[in-house]
Amino acid sequence: MPGKFITLEGTEGAGKTTVIRHLRDGLLAQGYDVVLTREPGGTPLAEELRALLLTPRDESVDADAELLMVFAARAQHMNQLIKPALARGAWVLCDRFTDSTFAYQGGGRGLSWQSIEDLEMLVQKGFSPDLTLWLDIEPSIGLGRASRRSAADRIEQETISFFERARSAFQKRFDANPERFARIEAAADEESVKAAAMLALGRLHG
């Protein structure tokens, strides 16, 4: 049987890394073949593009150039890692996917949603997650968490208004795709968030 493709989304500090590892461990314990990956990234080429995208630099990065690099990384990741894993029956857990592009480049950067949709169709050709867990959190809370874990990358250095726009874009995506999304209150305690995420996976069983 084909595998399942689950994505985790949210603004900075929402706890995606903790939750995705918990889901992986839970699925492995149930005997599933599990692939844990991330965007941008997931393959050597896509990870190189990730470094180009996220490394702080003196040169201003054009928003369209950023968008195209995101989709270039996605094309490589999807075709070289995600689809082959699904074809062999694995469950693929991915930290971010196209919803983050709508949120960050669409909401945060203010790029045309139509342009993003056009690239989505060109690259993905209708391919999308089976389930998306949206870890929703107030940007001020999430950024406070993120500031304690490591030095900020180029995106994390954006203003809080950028992340507020990104959160609003996630809400728009959620409203348009309620059958695919599960919204999780990420400001709750860690165990509650983990439990809610595992419960949401129940949609895909049977």
Side-chain angles (χ1 to χ4, degrees), residues 9 11 98-111 113 116 134 136 161-177 181:
E9 299 284 5
T11 49
T98 311
D99 295 301
S100 276
T101 309
F102 282 98
Y104 281 62
Q105 283 71 47
R109 299 281 185 231
L111 294 180
W113 278 50
I116 300 173
W134 174 31
D136 185 30
S161 61
F162 174 94
F163 295 105
E164 288 169 346
R165 293 192 299 273
R167 186 190 186 197
S168 294
F170 277 128
Q171 181 69 55
K172 184 176 177 181
R173 294 289 286 173
F174 172 81
D175 292 341
N177 302 276
F181 270 88

PDB file of all heavy atoms in Angstrom, residues 9 11 98-111 113 116 134 136 161-177 181:
ATOM      1  N   GLU A   9       3.360  22.359  10.108  1.00  0.00           N
ATOM      2  CA  GLU A   9       3.501  23.760   9.743  1.00  0.00           C
ATOM      3  C   GLU A   9       3.361  24.651  10.972  1.00  0.00           C
ATOM      4  O   GLU A   9       2.836  24.230  12.001  1.00  0.00           O
ATOM      5  CB  GLU A   9       2.429  24.149   8.708  1.00  0.00           C
ATOM      6  CG  GLU A   9       2.503  23.383   7.396  1.00  0.00           C
ATOM      7  CD  GLU A   9       3.631  23.860   6.490  1.00  0.00           C
ATOM      8  OE1 GLU A   9       4.428  24.731   6.914  1.00  0.00           O
ATOM      9  OE2 GLU A   9       3.717  23.368   5.356  1.00  0.00           O
ATOM     10  N   THR A  11       4.615  28.974  12.525  1.00  0.00           N
ATOM     11  CA  THR A  11       5.648  29.998  12.584  1.00  0.00           C
ATOM     12  C   THR A  11       6.740  29.578  13.564  1.00  0.00           C
ATOM     13  O   THR A  11       6.658  28.530  14.203  1.00  0.00           O
ATOM     14  CB  THR A  11       5.040  31.353  12.978  1.00  0.00           C
ATOM     15  OG1 THR A  11       4.218  31.174  14.137  1.00  0.00           O
ATOM     16  CG2 THR A  11       4.185  31.930  11.849  1.00  0.00           C
ATOM     17  N   THR A  98       4.504  23.199   1.254  1.00  0.00           N
ATOM     18  CA  THR A  98       4.055  24.347   0.458  1.00  0.00           C
ATOM     19  C   THR A  98       3.219  25.344   1.251  1.00  0.00           C
ATOM     20  O   THR A  98       3.202  26.541   0.921  1.00  0.00           O
ATOM     21  CB  THR A  98       3.276  23.847  -0.774  1.00  0.00           C
ATOM     22  OG1 THR A  98       4.040  22.822  -1.414  1.00  0.00           O
ATOM     23  CG2 THR A  98       3.045  24.969  -1.769  1.00  0.00           C
ATOM     24  N   ASP A  99       2.539  24.907   2.295  1.00  0.00           N
ATOM     25  CA  ASP A  99       1.792  25.874   3.109  1.00  0.00           C
ATOM     26  C   ASP A  99       2.722  26.935   3.691  1.00  0.00           C
ATOM     27  O   ASP A  99       2.328  28.098   3.835  1.00  0.00           O
ATOM     28  CB  ASP A  99       1.019  25.154   4.221  1.00  0.00           C
ATOM     29  CG  ASP A  99      -0.057  24.250   3.670  1.00  0.00           C
ATOM     30  OD1 ASP A  99      -0.957  24.752   2.964  1.00  0.00           O
ATOM     31  OD2 ASP A  99      -0.002  23.032   3.915  1.00  0.00           O
ATOM     32  N   SER A 100       3.949  26.541   4.027  1.00  0.00           N
ATOM     33  CA  SER A 100       4.907  27.528   4.529  1.00  0.00           C
ATOM     34  C   SER A 100       5.289  28.536   3.449  1.00  0.00           C
ATOM     35  O   SER A 100       5.588  29.693   3.760  1.00  0.00           O
ATOM     36  CB  SER A 100       6.175  26.838   5.051  1.00  0.00           C
ATOM     37  OG  SER A 100       6.004  26.401   6.386  1.00  0.00           O
ATOM     38  N   THR A 101       5.295  28.109   2.199  1.00  0.00           N
ATOM     39  CA  THR A 101       5.600  29.042   1.118  1.00  0.00           C
ATOM     40  C   THR A 101       4.500  30.086   0.989  1.00  0.00           C
ATOM     41  O   THR A 101       4.766  31.284   0.831  1.00  0.00           O
ATOM     42  CB  THR A 101       5.777  28.283  -0.210  1.00  0.00           C
ATOM     43  OG1 THR A 101       6.699  27.208  -0.012  1.00  0.00           O
ATOM     44  CG2 THR A 101       6.300  29.210  -1.300  1.00  0.00           C
ATOM     45  N   PHE A 102       3.246  29.653   1.061  1.00  0.00           N
ATOM     46  CA  PHE A 102       2.145  30.613   1.048  1.00  0.00           C
ATOM     47  C   PHE A 102       2.221  31.540   2.254  1.00  0.00           C
ATOM     48  O   PHE A 102       1.931  32.737   2.153  1.00  0.00           O
ATOM     49  CB  PHE A 102       0.802  29.882   1.027  1.00  0.00           C
ATOM     50  CG  PHE A 102       0.418  29.346  -0.313  1.00  0.00           C
ATOM     51  CD1 PHE A 102       0.645  28.018  -0.647  1.00  0.00           C
ATOM     52  CD2 PHE A 102      -0.168  30.167  -1.270  1.00  0.00           C
ATOM     53  CE1 PHE A 102       0.303  27.510  -1.895  1.00  0.00           C
ATOM     54  CE2 PHE A 102      -0.521  29.680  -2.525  1.00  0.00           C
ATOM     55  CZ  PHE A 102      -0.275  28.348  -2.841  1.00  0.00           C
ATOM     56  N   ALA A 103       2.624  30.992   3.407  1.00  0.00           N
ATOM     57  CA  ALA A 103       2.679  31.792   4.625  1.00  0.00           C
ATOM     58  C   ALA A 103       3.840  32.782   4.612  1.00  0.00           C
ATOM     59  O   ALA A 103       3.651  33.977   4.878  1.00  0.00           O
ATOM     60  CB  ALA A 103       2.781  30.883   5.847  1.00  0.00           C
ATOM     61  N   TYR A 104       5.030  32.304   4.296  1.00  0.00           N
ATOM     62  CA  TYR A 104       6.229  33.142   4.409  1.00  0.00           C
ATOM     63  C   TYR A 104       6.457  34.021   3.180  1.00  0.00           C
ATOM     64  O   TYR A 104       6.700  35.220   3.303  1.00  0.00           O
ATOM     65  CB  TYR A 104       7.454  32.271   4.690  1.00  0.00           C
ATOM     66  CG  TYR A 104       7.551  31.845   6.137  1.00  0.00           C
ATOM     67  CD1 TYR A 104       6.563  31.068   6.735  1.00  0.00           C
ATOM     68  CD2 TYR A 104       8.637  32.221   6.914  1.00  0.00           C
ATOM     69  CE1 TYR A 104       6.639  30.687   8.055  1.00  0.00           C
ATOM     70  CE2 TYR A 104       8.733  31.837   8.246  1.00  0.00           C
ATOM     71  CZ  TYR A 104       7.723  31.077   8.811  1.00  0.00           C
ATOM     72  OH  TYR A 104       7.802  30.709  10.129  1.00  0.00           O
ATOM     73  N   GLN A 105       6.407  33.414   1.999  1.00  0.00           N
ATOM     74  CA  GLN A 105       6.625  34.220   0.798  1.00  0.00           C
ATOM     75  C   GLN A 105       5.344  34.944   0.371  1.00  0.00           C
ATOM     76  O   GLN A 105       5.404  36.060  -0.118  1.00  0.00           O
ATOM     77  CB  GLN A 105       7.160  33.354  -0.343  1.00  0.00           C
ATOM     78  CG  GLN A 105       8.644  33.007  -0.228  1.00  0.00           C
ATOM     79  CD  GLN A 105       8.970  32.033   0.877  1.00  0.00           C
ATOM     80  OE1 GLN A 105       8.310  31.005   1.016  1.00  0.00           O
ATOM     81  NE2 GLN A 105       9.990  32.338   1.673  1.00  0.00           N
ATOM     82  N   GLY A 106       4.202  34.312   0.574  1.00  0.00           N
ATOM     83  CA  GLY A 106       2.935  34.962   0.249  1.00  0.00           C
ATOM     84  C   GLY A 106       2.510  35.962   1.311  1.00  0.00           C
ATOM     85  O   GLY A 106       2.383  37.158   1.054  1.00  0.00           O
ATOM     86  N   GLY A 107       2.323  35.477   2.541  1.00  0.00           N
ATOM     87  CA  GLY A 107       1.914  36.365   3.626  1.00  0.00           C
ATOM     88  C   GLY A 107       3.022  37.296   4.076  1.00  0.00           C
ATOM     89  O   GLY A 107       2.871  38.521   4.079  1.00  0.00           O
ATOM     90  N   GLY A 108       4.160  36.713   4.451  1.00  0.00           N
ATOM     91  CA  GLY A 108       5.257  37.514   4.978  1.00  0.00           C
ATOM     92  C   GLY A 108       5.845  38.480   3.979  1.00  0.00           C
ATOM     93  O   GLY A 108       5.984  39.685   4.256  1.00  0.00           O
ATOM     94  N   ARG A 109       6.167  37.991   2.790  1.00  0.00           N
ATOM     95  CA  ARG A 109       6.801  38.824   1.765  1.00  0.00           C
ATOM     96  C   ARG A 109       5.797  39.620   0.941  1.00  0.00           C
ATOM     97  O   ARG A 109       6.166  40.573   0.258  1.00  0.00           O
ATOM     98  CB  ARG A 109       7.640  37.959   0.816  1.00  0.00           C
ATOM     99  CG  ARG A 109       8.777  37.209   1.463  1.00  0.00           C
ATOM    100  CD  ARG A 109       9.967  38.107   1.706  1.00  0.00           C
ATOM    101  NE  ARG A 109      11.088  37.328   2.225  1.00  0.00           N
ATOM    102  CZ  ARG A 109      11.766  37.650   3.325  1.00  0.00           C
ATOM    103  NH1 ARG A 109      11.450  38.740   4.003  1.00  0.00           N
ATOM    104  NH2 ARG A 109      12.758  36.886   3.748  1.00  0.00           N
ATOM    105  N   GLY A 110       4.552  39.161   0.948  1.00  0.00           N
ATOM    106  CA  GLY A 110       3.541  39.861   0.165  1.00  0.00           C
ATOM    107  C   GLY A 110       3.539  39.503  -1.305  1.00  0.00           C
ATOM    108  O   GLY A 110       3.009  40.262  -2.138  1.00  0.00           O
ATOM    109  N   LEU A 111       4.112  38.355  -1.666  1.00  0.00           N
ATOM    110  CA  LEU A 111       4.105  37.937  -3.062  1.00  0.00           C
ATOM    111  C   LEU A 111       2.718  37.442  -3.468  1.00  0.00           C
ATOM    112  O   LEU A 111       1.915  37.025  -2.637  1.00  0.00           O
ATOM    113  CB  LEU A 111       5.138  36.830  -3.294  1.00  0.00           C
ATOM    114  CG  LEU A 111       6.607  37.228  -3.125  1.00  0.00           C
ATOM    115  CD1 LEU A 111       7.509  36.026  -3.388  1.00  0.00           C
ATOM    116  CD2 LEU A 111       6.974  38.379  -4.055  1.00  0.00           C
ATOM    117  N   TRP A 113      -0.292  35.346  -4.442  1.00  0.00           N
ATOM    118  CA  TRP A 113      -0.692  33.960  -4.209  1.00  0.00           C
ATOM    119  C   TRP A 113      -0.866  33.230  -5.525  1.00  0.00           C
ATOM    120  O   TRP A 113      -0.605  32.031  -5.606  1.00  0.00           O
ATOM    121  CB  TRP A 113      -1.972  33.901  -3.372  1.00  0.00           C
ATOM    122  CG  TRP A 113      -1.697  34.056  -1.915  1.00  0.00           C
ATOM    123  CD1 TRP A 113      -0.940  35.023  -1.335  1.00  0.00           C
ATOM    124  CD2 TRP A 113      -2.151  33.210  -0.862  1.00  0.00           C
ATOM    125  NE1 TRP A 113      -0.909  34.836   0.025  1.00  0.00           N
ATOM    126  CE2 TRP A 113      -1.639  33.746   0.339  1.00  0.00           C
ATOM    127  CE3 TRP A 113      -2.957  32.080  -0.810  1.00  0.00           C
ATOM    128  CZ2 TRP A 113      -1.899  33.159   1.589  1.00  0.00           C
ATOM    129  CZ3 TRP A 113      -3.230  31.503   0.424  1.00  0.00           C
ATOM    130  CH2 TRP A 113      -2.693  32.033   1.609  1.00  0.00           C
ATOM    131  N   ILE A 116       2.432  31.860  -6.594  1.00  0.00           N
ATOM    132  CA  ILE A 116       2.788  30.674  -5.809  1.00  0.00           C
ATOM    133  C   ILE A 116       1.969  29.472  -6.270  1.00  0.00           C
ATOM    134  O   ILE A 116       2.491  28.360  -6.411  1.00  0.00           O
ATOM    135  CB  ILE A 116       2.596  30.939  -4.306  1.00  0.00           C
ATOM    136  CG1 ILE A 116       3.482  32.109  -3.857  1.00  0.00           C
ATOM    137  CG2 ILE A 116       2.921  29.684  -3.494  1.00  0.00           C
ATOM    138  CD1 ILE A 116       3.234  32.561  -2.435  1.00  0.00           C
ATOM    139  N   TRP A 134      -1.082  21.940  11.769  1.00  0.00           N
ATOM    140  CA  TRP A 134      -0.712  23.342  11.924  1.00  0.00           C
ATOM    141  C   TRP A 134      -0.550  23.638  13.410  1.00  0.00           C
ATOM    142  O   TRP A 134      -1.524  23.665  14.149  1.00  0.00           O
ATOM    143  CB  TRP A 134      -1.771  24.260  11.302  1.00  0.00           C
ATOM    144  CG  TRP A 134      -1.544  25.722  11.538  1.00  0.00           C
ATOM    145  CD1 TRP A 134      -0.358  26.365  11.686  1.00  0.00           C
ATOM    146  CD2 TRP A 134      -2.568  26.729  11.657  1.00  0.00           C
ATOM    147  NE1 TRP A 134      -0.550  27.714  11.896  1.00  0.00           N
ATOM    148  CE2 TRP A 134      -1.899  27.958  11.873  1.00  0.00           C
ATOM    149  CE3 TRP A 134      -3.952  26.705  11.602  1.00  0.00           C
ATOM    150  CZ2 TRP A 134      -2.592  29.159  12.045  1.00  0.00           C
ATOM    151  CZ3 TRP A 134      -4.652  27.889  11.756  1.00  0.00           C
ATOM    152  CH2 TRP A 134      -3.970  29.104  11.975  1.00  0.00           C
ATOM    153  N   ASP A 136      -0.254  26.147  15.800  1.00  0.00           N
ATOM    154  CA  ASP A 136      -0.561  27.575  15.806  1.00  0.00           C
ATOM    155  C   ASP A 136      -0.155  28.214  17.127  1.00  0.00           C
ATOM    156  O   ASP A 136      -0.478  27.700  18.202  1.00  0.00           O
ATOM    157  CB  ASP A 136      -2.059  27.773  15.561  1.00  0.00           C
ATOM    158  CG  ASP A 136      -2.442  29.226  15.442  1.00  0.00           C
ATOM    159  OD1 ASP A 136      -1.593  30.032  14.994  1.00  0.00           O
ATOM    160  OD2 ASP A 136      -3.592  29.568  15.790  1.00  0.00           O
ATOM    161  N   SER A 161       5.928  41.666  12.649  1.00  0.00           N
ATOM    162  CA  SER A 161       4.811  41.866  11.720  1.00  0.00           C
ATOM    163  C   SER A 161       4.888  40.878  10.553  1.00  0.00           C
ATOM    164  O   SER A 161       3.854  40.442  10.027  1.00  0.00           O
ATOM    165  CB  SER A 161       4.780  43.306  11.203  1.00  0.00           C
ATOM    166  OG  SER A 161       5.962  43.621  10.511  1.00  0.00           O
ATOM    167  N   PHE A 162       6.100  40.520  10.153  1.00  0.00           N
ATOM    168  CA  PHE A 162       6.284  39.499   9.115  1.00  0.00           C
ATOM    169  C   PHE A 162       5.641  38.183   9.558  1.00  0.00           C
ATOM    170  O   PHE A 162       4.897  37.543   8.802  1.00  0.00           O
ATOM    171  CB  PHE A 162       7.783  39.305   8.855  1.00  0.00           C
ATOM    172  CG  PHE A 162       8.126  38.183   7.910  1.00  0.00           C
ATOM    173  CD1 PHE A 162       8.312  38.425   6.561  1.00  0.00           C
ATOM    174  CD2 PHE A 162       8.290  36.874   8.379  1.00  0.00           C
ATOM    175  CE1 PHE A 162       8.650  37.385   5.685  1.00  0.00           C
ATOM    176  CE2 PHE A 162       8.615  35.843   7.515  1.00  0.00           C
ATOM    177  CZ  PHE A 162       8.795  36.098   6.167  1.00  0.00           C
ATOM    178  N   PHE A 163       5.909  37.780  10.799  1.00  0.00           N
ATOM    179  CA  PHE A 163       5.382  36.507  11.295  1.00  0.00           C
ATOM    180  C   PHE A 163       3.890  36.587  11.596  1.00  0.00           C
ATOM    181  O   PHE A 163       3.185  35.570  11.492  1.00  0.00           O
ATOM    182  CB  PHE A 163       6.176  36.060  12.522  1.00  0.00           C
ATOM    183  CG  PHE A 163       7.611  35.755  12.196  1.00  0.00           C
ATOM    184  CD1 PHE A 163       8.623  36.629  12.555  1.00  0.00           C
ATOM    185  CD2 PHE A 163       7.957  34.619  11.483  1.00  0.00           C
ATOM    186  CE1 PHE A 163       9.943  36.369  12.236  1.00  0.00           C
ATOM    187  CE2 PHE A 163       9.271  34.347  11.152  1.00  0.00           C
ATOM    188  CZ  PHE A 163      10.268  35.232  11.517  1.00  0.00           C
ATOM    189  N   GLU A 164       3.398  37.764  11.919  1.00  0.00           N
ATOM    190  CA  GLU A 164       1.954  37.924  12.088  1.00  0.00           C
ATOM    191  C   GLU A 164       1.239  37.759  10.751  1.00  0.00           C
ATOM    192  O   GLU A 164       0.169  37.146  10.677  1.00  0.00           O
ATOM    193  CB  GLU A 164       1.657  39.286  12.712  1.00  0.00           C
ATOM    194  CG  GLU A 164       2.042  39.349  14.188  1.00  0.00           C
ATOM    195  CD  GLU A 164       1.998  40.758  14.750  1.00  0.00           C
ATOM    196  OE1 GLU A 164       1.934  41.724  13.950  1.00  0.00           O
ATOM    197  OE2 GLU A 164       2.042  40.897  15.984  1.00  0.00           O
ATOM    198  N   ARG A 165       1.844  38.292   9.695  1.00  0.00           N
ATOM    199  CA  ARG A 165       1.264  38.098   8.355  1.00  0.00           C
ATOM    200  C   ARG A 165       1.346  36.632   7.951  1.00  0.00           C
ATOM    201  O   ARG A 165       0.416  36.090   7.330  1.00  0.00           O
ATOM    202  CB  ARG A 165       1.990  38.972   7.320  1.00  0.00           C
ATOM    203  CG  ARG A 165       1.780  40.467   7.509  1.00  0.00           C
ATOM    204  CD  ARG A 165       2.268  41.262   6.310  1.00  0.00           C
ATOM    205  NE  ARG A 165       3.696  41.102   6.038  1.00  0.00           N
ATOM    206  CZ  ARG A 165       4.659  41.816   6.583  1.00  0.00           C
ATOM    207  NH1 ARG A 165       4.368  42.744   7.489  1.00  0.00           N
ATOM    208  NH2 ARG A 165       5.937  41.612   6.259  1.00  0.00           N
ATOM    209  N   ALA A 166       2.454  35.974   8.294  1.00  0.00           N
ATOM    210  CA  ALA A 166       2.598  34.554   7.984  1.00  0.00           C
ATOM    211  C   ALA A 166       1.535  33.732   8.716  1.00  0.00           C
ATOM    212  O   ALA A 166       0.918  32.825   8.129  1.00  0.00           O
ATOM    213  CB  ALA A 166       3.992  34.067   8.362  1.00  0.00           C
ATOM    214  N   ARG A 167       1.291  34.063   9.968  1.00  0.00           N
ATOM    215  CA  ARG A 167       0.267  33.340  10.726  1.00  0.00           C
ATOM    216  C   ARG A 167      -1.109  33.530  10.101  1.00  0.00           C
ATOM    217  O   ARG A 167      -1.898  32.579   9.996  1.00  0.00           O
ATOM    218  CB  ARG A 167       0.256  33.805  12.183  1.00  0.00           C
ATOM    219  CG  ARG A 167      -0.682  32.993  13.057  1.00  0.00           C
ATOM    220  CD  ARG A 167      -0.858  33.624  14.414  1.00  0.00           C
ATOM    221  NE  ARG A 167      -1.653  32.786  15.306  1.00  0.00           N
ATOM    222  CZ  ARG A 167      -2.230  33.224  16.416  1.00  0.00           C
ATOM    223  NH1 ARG A 167      -2.076  34.488  16.790  1.00  0.00           N
ATOM    224  NH2 ARG A 167      -2.945  32.396  17.154  1.00  0.00           N
ATOM    225  N   SER A 168      -1.397  34.741   9.674  1.00  0.00           N
ATOM    226  CA  SER A 168      -2.683  34.998   9.014  1.00  0.00           C
ATOM    227  C   SER A 168      -2.810  34.189   7.728  1.00  0.00           C
ATOM    228  O   SER A 168      -3.904  33.705   7.386  1.00  0.00           O
ATOM    229  CB  SER A 168      -2.832  36.493   8.706  1.00  0.00           C
ATOM    230  OG  SER A 168      -2.908  37.250   9.891  1.00  0.00           O
ATOM    231  N   ALA A 169      -1.695  34.025   7.019  1.00  0.00           N
ATOM    232  CA  ALA A 169      -1.716  33.227   5.796  1.00  0.00           C
ATOM    233  C   ALA A 169      -1.949  31.744   6.104  1.00  0.00           C
ATOM    234  O   ALA A 169      -2.664  31.057   5.367  1.00  0.00           O
ATOM    235  CB  ALA A 169      -0.417  33.413   5.025  1.00  0.00           C
ATOM    236  N   PHE A 170      -1.348  31.253   7.181  1.00  0.00           N
ATOM    237  CA  PHE A 170      -1.634  29.875   7.603  1.00  0.00           C
ATOM    238  C   PHE A 170      -3.127  29.716   7.894  1.00  0.00           C
ATOM    239  O   PHE A 170      -3.735  28.701   7.534  1.00  0.00           O
ATOM    240  CB  PHE A 170      -0.827  29.500   8.845  1.00  0.00           C
ATOM    241  CG  PHE A 170       0.575  29.038   8.580  1.00  0.00           C
ATOM    242  CD1 PHE A 170       1.649  29.610   9.249  1.00  0.00           C
ATOM    243  CD2 PHE A 170       0.828  28.013   7.679  1.00  0.00           C
ATOM    244  CE1 PHE A 170       2.952  29.183   9.020  1.00  0.00           C
ATOM    245  CE2 PHE A 170       2.129  27.566   7.446  1.00  0.00           C
ATOM    246  CZ  PHE A 170       3.193  28.158   8.119  1.00  0.00           C
ATOM    247  N   GLN A 171      -3.721  30.714   8.535  1.00  0.00           N
ATOM    248  CA  GLN A 171      -5.153  30.663   8.832  1.00  0.00           C
ATOM    249  C   GLN A 171      -5.968  30.598   7.544  1.00  0.00           C
ATOM    250  O   GLN A 171      -6.948  29.840   7.440  1.00  0.00           O
ATOM    251  CB  GLN A 171      -5.567  31.884   9.644  1.00  0.00           C
ATOM    252  CG  GLN A 171      -7.048  31.910  10.035  1.00  0.00           C
ATOM    253  CD  GLN A 171      -7.414  30.851  11.048  1.00  0.00           C
ATOM    254  OE1 GLN A 171      -6.811  30.776  12.111  1.00  0.00           O
ATOM    255  NE2 GLN A 171      -8.403  30.019  10.724  1.00  0.00           N
ATOM    256  N   LYS A 172      -5.552  31.362   6.549  1.00  0.00           N
ATOM    257  CA  LYS A 172      -6.239  31.360   5.252  1.00  0.00           C
ATOM    258  C   LYS A 172      -6.144  29.988   4.602  1.00  0.00           C
ATOM    259  O   LYS A 172      -7.127  29.489   4.038  1.00  0.00           O
ATOM    260  CB  LYS A 172      -5.627  32.437   4.353  1.00  0.00           C
ATOM    261  CG  LYS A 172      -6.304  32.604   3.010  1.00  0.00           C
ATOM    262  CD  LYS A 172      -5.672  33.767   2.237  1.00  0.00           C
ATOM    263  CE  LYS A 172      -6.280  33.912   0.852  1.00  0.00           C
ATOM    264  NZ  LYS A 172      -5.644  35.029   0.094  1.00  0.00           N
ATOM    265  N   ARG A 173      -4.975  29.378   4.675  1.00  0.00           N
ATOM    266  CA  ARG A 173      -4.798  28.038   4.122  1.00  0.00           C
ATOM    267  C   ARG A 173      -5.655  27.018   4.876  1.00  0.00           C
ATOM    268  O   ARG A 173      -6.262  26.125   4.278  1.00  0.00           O
ATOM    269  CB  ARG A 173      -3.323  27.628   4.186  1.00  0.00           C
ATOM    270  CG  ARG A 173      -2.413  28.445   3.296  1.00  0.00           C
ATOM    271  CD  ARG A 173      -2.609  28.158   1.835  1.00  0.00           C
ATOM    272  NE  ARG A 173      -2.043  26.865   1.458  1.00  0.00           N
ATOM    273  CZ  ARG A 173      -2.203  26.318   0.246  1.00  0.00           C
ATOM    274  NH1 ARG A 173      -2.932  26.922  -0.671  1.00  0.00           N
ATOM    275  NH2 ARG A 173      -1.633  25.145  -0.031  1.00  0.00           N
ATOM    276  N   PHE A 174      -5.683  27.144   6.189  1.00  0.00           N
ATOM    277  CA  PHE A 174      -6.496  26.260   7.030  1.00  0.00           C
ATOM    278  C   PHE A 174      -7.973  26.377   6.652  1.00  0.00           C
ATOM    279  O   PHE A 174      -8.677  25.372   6.492  1.00  0.00           O
ATOM    280  CB  PHE A 174      -6.279  26.626   8.494  1.00  0.00           C
ATOM    281  CG  PHE A 174      -7.197  25.931   9.458  1.00  0.00           C
ATOM    282  CD1 PHE A 174      -6.946  24.638   9.873  1.00  0.00           C
ATOM    283  CD2 PHE A 174      -8.312  26.579   9.966  1.00  0.00           C
ATOM    284  CE1 PHE A 174      -7.789  23.992  10.767  1.00  0.00           C
ATOM    285  CE2 PHE A 174      -9.161  25.951  10.864  1.00  0.00           C
ATOM    286  CZ  PHE A 174      -8.901  24.650  11.266  1.00  0.00           C
ATOM    287  N   ASP A 175      -8.451  27.607   6.497  1.00  0.00           N
ATOM    288  CA  ASP A 175      -9.860  27.832   6.168  1.00  0.00           C
ATOM    289  C   ASP A 175     -10.229  27.255   4.803  1.00  0.00           C
ATOM    290  O   ASP A 175     -11.352  26.792   4.596  1.00  0.00           O
ATOM    291  CB  ASP A 175     -10.167  29.334   6.178  1.00  0.00           C
ATOM    292  CG  ASP A 175     -10.090  29.943   7.571  1.00  0.00           C
ATOM    293  OD1 ASP A 175     -10.167  29.182   8.563  1.00  0.00           O
ATOM    294  OD2 ASP A 175      -9.943  31.177   7.675  1.00  0.00           O
ATOM    295  N   ALA A 176      -9.253  27.273   3.877  1.00  0.00           N
ATOM    296  CA  ALA A 176      -9.518  26.786   2.518  1.00  0.00           C
ATOM    297  C   ALA A 176      -9.393  25.269   2.392  1.00  0.00           C
ATOM    298  O   ALA A 176      -9.882  24.690   1.418  1.00  0.00           O
ATOM    299  CB  ALA A 176      -8.568  27.467   1.537  1.00  0.00           C
ATOM    300  N   ASN A 177      -8.730  24.623   3.361  1.00  0.00           N
ATOM    301  CA  ASN A 177      -8.468  23.180   3.273  1.00  0.00           C
ATOM    302  C   ASN A 177      -8.769  22.475   4.594  1.00  0.00           C
ATOM    303  O   ASN A 177      -7.904  21.776   5.141  1.00  0.00           O
ATOM    304  CB  ASN A 177      -7.002  22.934   2.887  1.00  0.00           C
ATOM    305  CG  ASN A 177      -6.604  23.591   1.579  1.00  0.00           C
ATOM    306  OD1 ASN A 177      -6.822  23.050   0.509  1.00  0.00           O
ATOM    307  ND2 ASN A 177      -6.001  24.782   1.669  1.00  0.00           N
ATOM    308  N   PHE A 181      -6.261  19.839   7.007  1.00  0.00           N
ATOM    309  CA  PHE A 181      -5.590  20.431   8.155  1.00  0.00           C
ATOM    310  C   PHE A 181      -6.140  19.950   9.490  1.00  0.00           C
ATOM    311  O   PHE A 181      -7.325  19.661   9.623  1.00  0.00           O
ATOM    312  CB  PHE A 181      -5.769  21.952   8.128  1.00  0.00           C
ATOM    313  CG  PHE A 181      -4.697  22.718   7.395  1.00  0.00           C
ATOM    314  CD1 PHE A 181      -4.798  22.946   6.040  1.00  0.00           C
ATOM    315  CD2 PHE A 181      -3.595  23.221   8.077  1.00  0.00           C
ATOM    316  CE1 PHE A 181      -3.837  23.669   5.359  1.00  0.00           C
ATOM    317  CE2 PHE A 181      -2.623  23.938   7.411  1.00  0.00           C
ATOM    318  CZ  PHE A 181      -2.742  24.166   6.047  1.00  0.00           C
TER     319      PHE A 181
END
